[in-house]
Amino acid sequence: MSLQILLNEVLNKFDVSLNPDVVSPIIYKFDENFIYLKDDSITHLQSLLEKIYIDNKEIKSRFSREEIYKYVKSQAALKRSKNKFFEASDVTLFFREYLNIEPRRCEVVAPISGIRLDHGKEIEISVFKIKKRSPSEVDNSEYHISVTIDEIYDNKIAIELARNKFLDFIRIVSFISGRNDDSVYIRTGFPLLVSMTHQQMYIESSSYTVNTLEENIEKVNSSYLGNIFLENKIANKIPLDNPFFCENEDFKGIWDIYSEKNSKKRSIKKRILNAAISIGESALSRNEKNSILYTSMAFEILFSLDENALFQKSIGDKLADTLAFIIANNKESRLSVIRDVKKFYGLRSALVHGGDANINKDYIYFNTLLSMAISELLNNTKYTGVRNIEDLYEMVREAQNSY
């Protein structure tokens, strides 16, 4: 469907009235005309706007849906107010105003809580800058995090890209921490986590009552009939300028990879980075099913041969062999790792395919094994020449044939 047809379809979803009291909701007003959306048009209008947005690849790559939706609706309403339709000449120039916008380089700044700096007021980690708020800044956050975004045409796109990078930052910090005990709490934006001291912050309060249900109540110790559990959750802030986080000898390479332009990252580096981010999300999640699935994703991102297919069928054997090759030093430990991975993949398969699964925290063990593998791939000179997953699989095959 051509752009002209789509625009006129959008136009037909609006109607005109001279009386504002009989139309609702009023969306636009031009001169004496009140333009409103027909009652039965909302769903179809959204599909038309989305079609216009995704059909223009250049516009889609530069501008947010919100911006383009708003522009298309305003232009259609203007035409409707004049009782005109979009002509071919209108379509040729329709996005000219947007396509003439020059790209900018932007810094996006957001408040961040759950962290602290012990040795200064500012630190740079990879592409991120974290600094203490200056007295002239109006919000009440203690720290800000910022990142530079290139080739920006729309501020909303800059914010979206920055938000994703800030999430990556939190996940990488979680990964490096090695904590799988729900003790890492970092948040960008508002509301802030409440600071109690330089080292600690308040997270939340919870209240639960556990009642014992028993047919023969006389058999139950009275102390177990009902218990109220109240908890104020307090957590330690992450000291970002501690060398463990910013200069960790095992995982500093993760920050270095994140700093590289995408075009310069070797295939194996991209896998290492994305696997670390997935492990970080697995550790951060407060939902065990999600944690298991993110751990599974980390396995397959790091070791699957087909990069385009996550959750591949019958992949457990290959992943188990590759992980065992990297982290195990003898036959017994290799066989143990292989058995454990296959067992984990039984749990993963039950979740993915909708079967019954005995959910537990075994994913924590595999997060640890995968972290060990990532450290080996980053730091062991044995893997210096590995540029892609095919190189790694070839090393595994050669090792297996030499047993």
Side-chain angles (χ1 to χ4, degrees):
M1 194 180 296
S2 69
L3 178 58
Q4 182 180 357
I5 294 173
L6 289 169
L7 289 172
N8 284 319
E9 285 280 326
V10 171
L11 184 152
N12 284 326
K13 301 303 174 187
F14 294 98
D15 215 336
V16 183
S17 175
L18 297 175
N19 183 359
D21 296 329
V22 299
V23 298
S24 181
I26 298 170
I27 300 180
Y28 302 97
K29 182 179 182 296
F30 299 100
D31 298 325
E32 299 303 317
N33 293 326
F34 296 91
I35 313 301
Y36 65 98
L37 184 64
K38 297 175 183 177
D39 289 341
D40 60 348
S41 300
I42 295 177
T43 302
H44 190 206
L45 174 63
Q46 287 298 113
S47 65
L48 290 169
L49 293 172
E50 180 65 12
K51 180 67 174 170
I52 291 170
Y53 180 73
I54 64 175
D55 278 357
N56 192 312
K57 293 182 180 179
E58 197 169 7
I59 288 294
K60 180 184 175 183
S61 67
R62 298 180 180 184
F63 300 95
S64 64
R65 280 177 169 80
E66 182 181 350
E67 178 65 30
I68 299 305
Y69 282 18
K70 181 174 69 174
Y71 174 70
V72 171
K73 287 190 292 184
S74 67
Q75 295 303 301
L78 179 61
K79 284 285 186 184
R80 188 70 184 84
S81 73
K82 298 176 179 179
N83 200 27
K84 294 182 178 181
F85 289 91
F86 288 99
E87 305 292 342
S89 57
D90 299 319
V91 172
T92 303
L93 303 175
F94 189 72
F95 285 121
R96 182 176 63 177
E97 177 184 345
Y98 284 93
L99 294 175
N100 286 340
I101 293 175
E102 293 294 326
R104 297 170 289 122
R105 192 166 189 251
C106 301
E107 180 188 47
V108 181
V109 184
I112 183 171
S113 51
I115 59 97
R116 70 178 198 256
L117 298 180
D118 293 339
H119 306 294
K121 295 183 178 181
E122 184 174 342
I123 188 173
E124 290 190 27
I125 302 177
S126 187
V127 301
F128 304 97
K129 291 182 181 179
I130 299 91
K131 66 176 184 177
K132 290 188 175 181
R133 178 181 66 87
S134 67
S136 62
E137 291 169 307
V138 295
D139 68 60
N140 63 348
S141 62
E142 188 175 1
Y143 296 98
H144 285 164
I145 184 171
S146 64
V147 67
T148 299
I149 310 291
D150 295 321
E151 297 288 312
I152 289 299
Y153 299 85
D154 180 346
N155 285 344
K156 293 184 180 66
I157 293 293
I159 292 170
E160 180 182 334
L161 293 172
R163 184 185 294 119
N164 289 333
K165 287 182 179 294
F166 294 154
L167 288 173
D168 286 344
F169 175 84
I170 294 170
R171 290 162 179 156
I172 293 172
V173 170
S174 170
F175 166 78
I176 291 175
S177 77
R179 301 179 189 175
N180 291 272
D181 57 357
D182 295 342
S183 64
V184 176
Y185 287 85
I186 303 176
R187 179 184 295 168
T188 57
F190 296 107
L192 299 167
L193 295 166
V194 179
S195 179
M196 297 179 64
T197 67
H198 179 65
Q199 289 81 20
Q200 290 189 314
M201 58 193 167
Y202 168 81
I203 306 300
E204 62 185 5
S205 296
S206 60
S207 173
Y208 295 94
T209 300
V210 179
N211 295 318
T212 300
L213 303 178
E214 182 66 44
E215 292 181 4
N216 188 353
I217 203 69
E218 295 178 356
K219 295 181 178 179
V220 181
N221 188 310
S222 60
S223 65
Y224 290 97
L225 291 180
N227 290 288
I228 298 175
F229 296 89
L230 301 175
E231 180 185 20
N232 293 319
K233 189 168 185 62
I234 309 298
N236 291 319
K237 301 173 186 177
I238 299 295
L240 289 181
D241 53 358
N242 186 306
F244 180 84
F245 289 99
C246 58
E247 296 289 341
N248 189 294
E249 62 181 26
D250 290 321
F251 300 118
K252 184 179 181 298
I254 298 292
W255 294 124
D256 295 336
I257 295 171
Y258 201 93
S259 299
E260 294 179 5
K261 298 292 186 183
N262 278 328
S263 59
K264 294 182 179 180
K265 291 175 187 170
R266 294 183 301 175
S267 171
I268 198 68
K269 285 187 175 182
K270 290 180 183 179
R271 287 173 176 267
I272 289 170
L273 174 62
N274 290 327
I277 289 172
S278 293
I279 294 169
E281 181 61 31
S282 171
L284 287 169
S285 177
R286 277 40 176 173
N287 181 296
E288 289 183 359
K289 287 184 179 180
N290 288 343
S291 294
I292 292 167
L293 292 177
Y294 273 106
T295 300
S296 301
M297 287 176 63
F299 260 115
E300 301 191 22
I301 288 169
L302 192 57
F303 296 135
S304 64
L305 193 57
D306 182 359
E307 292 181 315
N308 297 317
L310 283 176
F311 305 125
Q312 300 168 55
K313 187 177 180 181
S314 302
I315 194 175
D317 290 349
K318 290 182 179 179
L319 300 188
D321 289 344
T322 309
L323 179 63
F325 168 75
I326 294 174
I327 67 172
N329 296 319
N330 53 60
K331 180 179 178 181
E332 289 72 23
S333 58
R334 282 196 299 270
L335 292 175
S336 176
V337 168
I338 289 170
R339 282 194 302 270
D340 290 340
V341 172
K342 289 181 179 179
K343 183 178 178 181
F344 174 77
Y345 258 74
L347 174 61
R348 165 266 194 200
S349 297
L351 283 177
V352 171
H353 301 297
D356 294 328
N358 181 22
I359 303 300
N360 55 53
K361 292 184 177 292
D362 286 355
Y363 69 88
I364 294 174
Y365 170 62
F366 295 100
N367 283 352
T368 303
L369 295 184
L370 286 167
S371 297
M372 291 169 58
I374 287 173
S375 177
E376 283 290 305
L377 290 171
L378 285 172
N379 302 301
N380 193 328
T381 55
K382 173 181 176 180
Y383 302 105
T384 302
V386 174
R387 300 186 61 83
N388 51 53
I389 194 64
E390 289 80 8
D391 292 344
L392 184 58
Y393 268 77
E394 182 59 32
M395 291 180 70
V396 174
R397 281 192 291 270
E398 289 179 1
Q400 289 174 331
N401 291 332
S402 66
Y403 293 160

